[in-house]
């Protein structure tokens, strides 16, 4: 005997699963039940379960698969006809049939052509009980033919005329989708004036000059083969009246010329359809599309009416700027006269379209399968409607019934077949064919004659156990033919049970709505038909419910005492209950102080932690009950001084009045711990979406113990409460029971919707997704919609999963789009979202700025003007214009160094900008580019300009050499930045007496080609101060000062001095170097500040006695002043120098001069050269034992060379007697100073050269690495016998 237990609770879904399953069987009563006991020996005629569509268009590039699946017992065999004759698949090696199926696979990918297998196919599934047939499947390969070649003459029209550009696409299968684009594959804009008709032609109500273009191209897209065919471009030129008059005047003489008049405004006329009336026929269920396109000036507006009625509200749509009227799901009631009206300011025109709605056959009542027993009667009914009325034809086993074998049990009466006294030989499959001129319907329905005695499918002797006063369901699944009748009996001799107190279900189940003790017993299910009887017994036991007759009670005990809870349970004697004690809905603490003895729970040595809710739960196999009590632990007596603390948490939370969007929460307050509770804080947890996270819900007064809470849909709520007093807030209470609210549609849409393209042909739509709490239901999705802002396209929509991004591909470049993102779930849609504008992806600008002009403001500033590019060519958000400019170099310098281009960006749509910080007397080259979010466009044509001359910088060096009693010789190097053509030098000097008073000032002009000058007839033993500067045609430059004395005892400058101060600057740092003459072990400092400002000098201390220092943290593009001084009592300061940092650059190439290995190498080379210099000097001193004059006669000085005009160098004079010009830079001075190269190139700009290398800490290296010691010449070298004075000068 099997035991079957009734459910504990009155849940229809759990206890009635067998009932529902069998009810589903009865709903499909004409099918044989899928029971393993029946499938083995019951026969059934074939039934077609799957087939290919009637009109089956195939892809000629893939294998042909024609589907035909069927079921039946025994399994059916399959055969095919093609074009009405038998199709022998065995004779064609390319055709195979899937095993156990009728599906054909034609392998045309290896060989063969799809056109070979074009035709009408029909499948037949046959077994011993009959034959079912499929629809006629018309197999046709898809076609995408090319456009016929044609010569399209250019079209020339006058402004305002109408025009129709024909498309006439090739006839394909299925028909092509037509659209017009240009050569750039951009859709041509359409409007009320210009639009595409249903036939694909492009209609112009009136043409305008902006319609002129040479690339009107009609495209035909064949979706089935994924191909697009293109018509030859059509050229259209619209001539204005002025142009036309000019043309006429050029071809006619004065007497013939009358002139063209502008197109007059005219009332509308229809371009399509023609005439005043037309006819339109459409099939029921299709979309009715009516079109009227008119021409006129001004452009007409189209209106639609139905003459004998109103347009259907929910099925009427307008397309193509109201030129097309569409009615969906059209029916016969939509027949009638529709009128389109075209209006403009000059009149109106009407056209009437008579619409007739026909109908292919559609089912009113399709025939259903019949399962009959021998001798029974039945009917097959086939009713269909259509316009015209369809013809009904019957077939049996695929053969027209007129020529099929005669069956005496069958009588045909139009759309009905009447069966009487059927026998097993009457089993067959009947086909009903309803057809008219617009189509046909074919339905298979079998008549299966079975003679089967009743069978009980439910297992015997099942024991059902049910708690009293609950429903009982006793199953009795059955089968038989004819359909058996079911009766239930109680006991061995009882009578049949009737529906006064019982419910008898069609599937055989017996329901006892309220089972009582007297319902216990044996029940017998009896199934009868004329072929026999079957019965089955089941047993029902009614059990007493489990009850708690003594519940635990609320208890207040003192800390350290004992407490006992009692729980007595009464239950059915045949059921064994399980008693379980819980504390706060959890297991009891694992503590020996807790003991369970039969009906009691005892807790000894009670502590504060033992307080809480204790529950007694009793469970059986059929039901369960529980009861709870609260234990409150208090301090023992005598009561000590009151302790003020935060409240104890509330407890005993209960949910009542549970509605869809609200619930009432009730709780019991905990101890306030001697401080009154001021308020309760309620929090909730969403266990479905954010388990473990608590959110604030509400606050109520401390006197309330209930709260009405507002809820959101589809949230699995749990609540907890906290109490607050003046001391603080309690810990949270235990969570309440969970409450799942019903789902609803979202009430909000995603925020932060944006549309930005990442590529030129896409649009990336992003949004902030809703969280689980905001979803309001399962199946959260988003409907993403977009359309071009300035086009007339319909919204394109796609539903995506719960994501935050969707990428639209194939968009035109940088086109504004309107975007909507709407939330939806399984219940419905959120409110209509707001539209947001975005743009598809940007591409690099196409056009360079034109008409670039340069206005040189002064020697360091130029103003650049340019014409803006067309906004359409920017292809993105215009960010500004960028000027690249650089100083032009000679070809020799360009080979040695790269040219660093400086960049200035001007934001927005500016058309001019200033270039500061230019170097005077220089040639610059620049170009301008437009910038968008994607990058830079092409550069404009390079534009060169010259800066005028400026004042020169100070001479690079000034030395006093060869002092005598009454003469001093001055040597100098030209300015490092002449900033023009030097015209002369000015030397000003004055004597200084012993009291440091200055004497009269003497001015002396020196030619610009000199670098040496001797002053004679000076006072002996007198100190002089010299002021020396260069001049150009603009003015005088900065001066350099020096002091010297004519006494023999003081050969060098009396005071220590710092000279040759130079600065090499980069973006944010500068390297300062200088030359020092004076005592050793001097501490230097560098002072600097912004040039022209009044701020104090910033001071940096130089470590050791180095003659270089690096300034860091400078501002790019800023002019700075700098000077060097010495610390201590003998402090002195150099002359000032000014330098400018470079502009900020996005990136900079790695400078080899900053690489550690290169610096080390240069240091080693410099050290070797210094050693060689010392050795050569010593050897030179040892060899001076012959008169100076003899050496001068024997060797001419190689420095005495005529000036080279081609390189711009100047000679020098050695003294007053020797006026031979010297080649600049060809000698090393006797005081061993090193002259700067005659180059105005920036050391930092090029990162190479003698004086352009710096270490990472600002160390200046390579100062001597590029200079060679004077080498003996083969011809005319002038050497002097060294003297002690010269030797001393050599080491200064």
């Amino acid at each position: 005997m099997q035991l079957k237990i009734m459910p504990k609770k009155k849940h229809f879904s759990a206890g009635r699963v067998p009932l529902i399953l069998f009810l589903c069987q009865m709903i499909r009563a004409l099918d044989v039940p899928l029971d393993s006991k029946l499938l083995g020996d019951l026969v059934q005629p074939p039934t077609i379960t799957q087939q290919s569509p009637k009109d089956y268009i195939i892809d000629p590039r893939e294998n042909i698969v024609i589907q035909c699946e069927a079921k039946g017992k025994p399994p059916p065999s399959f055969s095919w006809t093609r074009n009405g004759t038998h199709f022998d698949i065995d004779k064609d090696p390319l055709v195979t049939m899937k095993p156990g199926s009728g599906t054909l696979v034609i392998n045309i990918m290896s060989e063969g052509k799809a056109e070979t297998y074009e035709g009408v196919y029909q499948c037949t599934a046959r077994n011993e009980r009959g034959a079912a047939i499929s629809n006629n499947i018309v197999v046709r390969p898809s076609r995408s033919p090319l456009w016929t070649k044609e010569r399209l003459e250019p079209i020339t029209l006058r402004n305002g005329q109408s025009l129709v550009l024909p498309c006439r696409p090739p006839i394909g299968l299925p028909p092509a989708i037509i659209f017009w684009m240009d050569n750039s594959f951009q859709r041509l804009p359409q409007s009320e004036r210009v639009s595409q008709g249903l036939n694909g032609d492009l209609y112009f109500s009136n043409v305008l000059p902006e319609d002129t273009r040479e690339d009107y191209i009609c495209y035909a897209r064949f979706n089935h083969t994924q191909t697009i065919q293109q018509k030859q471009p059509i050229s259209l030129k619209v001539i204005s009246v002025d142009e036309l008059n000019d043309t006429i005047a050029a071809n006619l003489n004065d007497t013939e010329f009358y002139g063209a008049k502008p197109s007059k405004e005219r009332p509308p006329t229809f371009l399509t359809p023609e005439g005043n009336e037309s006819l339109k026929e459409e099939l029921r269920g299709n979309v009715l599309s009516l079109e009227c396109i008119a021409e006129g000036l001004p452009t007409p507006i189209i209106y639609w009416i139905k003459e004998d009625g109103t347009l259907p509200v929910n099925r009427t749509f307008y397309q193509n700027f109201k030129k097309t009227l569409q009615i969906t799901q059209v029916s016969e009631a939509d027949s009638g006269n529709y009128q389109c009206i075209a209006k403009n300011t000059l009149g109106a025109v009407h056209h009437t379209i008579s619409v007739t709605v026909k109908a292919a056959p559609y089912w009113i009542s399709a025939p259903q399968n019949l399962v009959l027993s021998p001798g029974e009667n039945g009917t097959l009914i086939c009713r269909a409607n259509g316009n015209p009325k369809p013809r009904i034809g019957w077939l049996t086993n695929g053969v027209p019934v007129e020529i099929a074998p005669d069956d005496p049990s069958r009588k045909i009466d139009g759309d009905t077949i009447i069966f009487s006294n059927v026998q097993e030989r009457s089993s067959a499959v009947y086909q009903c064919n309803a057809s008219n001129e617009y189509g046909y319907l074919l339905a298979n329905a079998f008549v299966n004659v079975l003679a089967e005695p009743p069978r009980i499918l439910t297992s015997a002797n099942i024991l059902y156990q049910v708690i009293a006063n609950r429903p009982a369901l006793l199953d009795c699944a059955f089968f038989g033919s004819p359909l058996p009748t079911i009766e239930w009996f109680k006991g061995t001799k009882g009578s049949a049970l009737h529906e006064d107190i019982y419910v008898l279900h069609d599937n055989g189940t017996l329901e006892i709505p309220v089972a009582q003790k007297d319902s216990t017993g044996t029940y017998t299910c009896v199934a009868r038909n004329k072929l026999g009887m079957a019965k089955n017994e089941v047993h029902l036991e009614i059990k007493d419910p489990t009850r708690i007759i003594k519940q635990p009670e609320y208890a207040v005990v003192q800390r350290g005492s004992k407490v006992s809870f009692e729980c007595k349970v009464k239950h059915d004697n045949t059921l064994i209950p399980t008693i379980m004690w819980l504390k706060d809905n959890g297991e009891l603490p694992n503590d020996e102080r807790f003991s369970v003895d039969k009906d009691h729970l005892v807790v000894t040595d009670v502590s504060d932690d033992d307080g809480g809710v204790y529950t007694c739960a009793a469970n059986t196999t059929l039901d369960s009950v529980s009861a709870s009590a609260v234990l409150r632990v208090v301090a023992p007596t005598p009561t000590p001084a009151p302790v003020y603390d935060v409240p104890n948490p509330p407890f005993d939370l209960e949910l009542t009045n549970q509605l869809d969007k609200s619930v009432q929460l009730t709780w019991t307050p905990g101890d306030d711990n001697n401080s009154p509770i001021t308020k309760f804080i309620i929090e909730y947890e969403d266990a479905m979406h954010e388990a473990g996270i608590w959110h604030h819900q509400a606050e109520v007064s401390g006197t309330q113990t209930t709260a009405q809470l507002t809820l959101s849909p589809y949230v699995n709520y749990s609540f907890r409460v906290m109490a607050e007093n003046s001391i603080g807030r309690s810990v949270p209470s235990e969570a309440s029971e969970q409450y799942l609210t019903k789902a609803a549609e979202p009430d909000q849409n995603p925020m932060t919707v944006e549309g930005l393209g990442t590529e030129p042909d896409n649009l990336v739509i992003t949004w902030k997704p809703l969280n689980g709490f905001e979803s309001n239901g399962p199946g959260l999705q988003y409907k993403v919609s977009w359309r071009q802002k300035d086009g007339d396209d319909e919204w394109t929509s796609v539903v995506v999963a719960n994501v935050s991004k969707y990428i639209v591909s194939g968009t035109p470049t940088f086109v504004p789009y309107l975007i909507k993102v709407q939330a939806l779930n399984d219940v419905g849609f959120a409110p209509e979202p707001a539209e947001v504008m975005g743009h598809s992806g940007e591409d690099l600008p196409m056009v360079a700025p034109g008409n670039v002009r340069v206005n040189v403001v002064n020697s360091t500033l130029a103003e650049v003007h340019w014409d803006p590019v067309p906004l359409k060519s920017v292809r993105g958000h215009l960010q500004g214009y960028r000027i690249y400019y650089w100083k032009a170099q000679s070809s020799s310098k360009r080979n040695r160094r790269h040219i660093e281009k400086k960049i200035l960006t001007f934001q927005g749509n500016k058309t001019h900008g200033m270039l500061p910080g230019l170097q005077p007397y220089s040639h610059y080259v620049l170009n301008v580019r437009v910038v968008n979010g994607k990058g830079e466009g092409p550069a404009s044509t390079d534009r060169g300009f010259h800066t005028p001359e400026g004042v020169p910088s100070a001479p690079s060096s000034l030395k006093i050499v060869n002092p005598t009693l009454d003469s001093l010789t001055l040597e100098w190097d030209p300015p490092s930045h002449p900033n023009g053509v030097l015209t002369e030098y000015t030397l000003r000097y004055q004597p200084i007496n012993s009291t440091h008073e200055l004497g009269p000032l003497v001015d002396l002009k020196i030619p610009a080609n000199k670098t040496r000058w001797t002053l004679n007839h000076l006072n002996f033993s007198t100190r002089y101060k010299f002021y020396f500067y260069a001049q150009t045609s603009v003015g005088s430059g900065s001066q350099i000062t020096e002091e010297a004395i004519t006494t023999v005892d003081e050969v060098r400058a009396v005071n220590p001095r710092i000279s040759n101060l130079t600065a090499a600057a980069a973006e944010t740092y500068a390297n300062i170097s200088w030359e020092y003459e004076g005592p050793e072990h001097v501490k230097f400092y560098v002072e600097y500040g912004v040039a022209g400002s009044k701020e104090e000098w910033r001071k940096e201390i130089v470590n050791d006695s180095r003659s270089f220092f690096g300034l860091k943290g400078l501002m790019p593009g800023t002019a700075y002043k700098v000077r060097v001084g010495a610390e201590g009592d003998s402090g002195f300061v150099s002359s000032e120098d000014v330098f400018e940092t470079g502009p900020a650059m996005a990136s900079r190439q790695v400078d080899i001069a900053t690489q550690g290995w290169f610096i080390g190498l240069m240091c080693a080379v410099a050290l070797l050269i210094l050693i060689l210099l010392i050795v050569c000097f010593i050897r030179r001193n040892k060899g001076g034992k012959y008169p100076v004059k003899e050496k001068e006669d024997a060797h001419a000085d190689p420095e005495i060379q005529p000036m080279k005009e081609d390189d711009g160098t100047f000679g020098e004079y050695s003294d007053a007697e020797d006026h031979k010009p010297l080649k600049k830079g060809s000698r090393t001075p006797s005081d061993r100073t090193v002259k700067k190269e005659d180059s105005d190139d920036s050391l930092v700009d090029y990162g190479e050269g003698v004086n352009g290398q710096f270490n990472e800490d600002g160390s200046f290296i390579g100062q001597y690495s590029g200079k060679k010691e004077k080498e003996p010449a083969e011809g005319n070298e002038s050497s002097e016998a060294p003297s002690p004075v010269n030797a001393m000068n050599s080491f200064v």
Side-chain angles (χ1 to χ4, degrees), residues 748-764:
Q748 62 180 347
N749 287 303
M751 306 295 290
T752 321
V753 178
E754 293 182 344
L756 296 172
T758 59
E759 297 295 335
D761 60 346
N762 75 6
L763 171 66
V764 181

Side-chain angles (χ1 to χ4, degrees), residues 798-1049:
V798 64
V799 177
V800 299
N802 188 11
V803 296
S804 62
K805 179 173 70 173
Y806 182 78
I807 300 177
V808 181
S809 301
T811 63
T813 302
F814 194 67
V815 171
Y817 276 83
L818 294 179
I819 301 165
K820 297 187 295 186
V821 181
Q822 185 178 23
L824 67 146
N825 58 22
D826 292 347
V827 180
F829 287 81
E832 183 68 21
E835 297 179 1
V836 176
M837 192 177 80
H839 283 82
S840 56
E842 300 179 72
D843 205 346
L844 293 177
M846 297 186 297
V847 179
N851 194 20
V852 178
R853 292 99 60 199
V854 181
N855 177 28
V856 179
V857 179
N858 55 42
S859 60
T860 61
L861 182 66
E863 184 177 16
V864 183
H865 292 261
W866 61 88
D867 291 344
V869 302
L871 289 179
K872 189 173 182 180
S873 70
V874 177
R875 301 200 294 181
H877 294 285
L878 176 63
Q879 294 189 354
Y881 291 83
R882 186 168 292 162
I883 299 179
Y884 284 71
Y885 64 101
W886 62 94
K887 185 178 176 184
Q889 303 291 333
S890 64
S891 59
S892 61
K893 291 182 180 179
R894 194 177 306 119
N895 292 335
R896 288 188 291 110
R897 299 182 176 94
H898 73 277
I899 298 177
E900 182 180 14
K901 299 182 178 180
K902 299 182 180 180
I903 303 173
L904 280 178
T905 301
F906 300 90
Q907 303 293 334
N909 196 18
K910 291 189 176 180
T911 58
H912 68 280
M914 307 296 289
L915 300 184
L918 303 177
Q919 187 170 325
Y921 200 63
S922 300
H923 179 65
Y924 281 86
V925 180
L926 63 80
N927 58 51
V928 186
R929 313 172 192 207
V930 66
V931 183
N932 64 11
K934 188 74 173 178
E936 297 177 347
S940 66
T941 304
D942 287 351
R943 179 73 63 186
F945 64 94
H946 292 272
T947 53
E949 290 186 282
V951 297
S953 62
S956 300
S957 65
L958 176 62
K959 300 294 182 184
I960 311 298
V961 298
N962 299 331
T964 63
L965 289 175
D966 62 347
S967 68
L968 291 172
T969 299
L970 283 71
E971 291 183 351
W972 62 89
D973 285 326
S976 59
H977 298 286
N979 295 337
V981 179
L982 296 182
T983 57
E984 61 183 6
Y985 291 97
T986 299
L987 174 64
R988 306 173 69 193
Y989 63 95
Q990 58 188 150
I992 304 174
N993 60 21
S994 58
T995 61
H996 300 286
E997 293 178 351
L998 298 174
L1001 193 63
V1002 179
D1003 278 2
L1004 180 63
K1005 302 298 183 180
I1006 300 175
N1009 61 348
K1010 304 296 182 181
T1011 57
R1012 180 185 178 97
W1013 194 267
T1014 300
L1015 296 175
N1016 295 310
H1017 312 296
L1018 300 176
N1019 298 329
F1020 66 91
S1021 189
T1022 302
R1023 186 191 307 274
Y1024 285 87
K1025 185 168 185 178
F1026 299 91
Y1027 310 90
F1028 190 65
Y1029 54 88
Q1031 288 181 289
T1032 64
S1033 61
V1034 176
S1036 302
S1038 303
Q1039 67 180 11
I1040 185 172
T1041 62
E1042 189 58 277
E1043 292 182 15
I1045 196 169
T1046 56
T1047 181
V1048 178
D1049 296 332

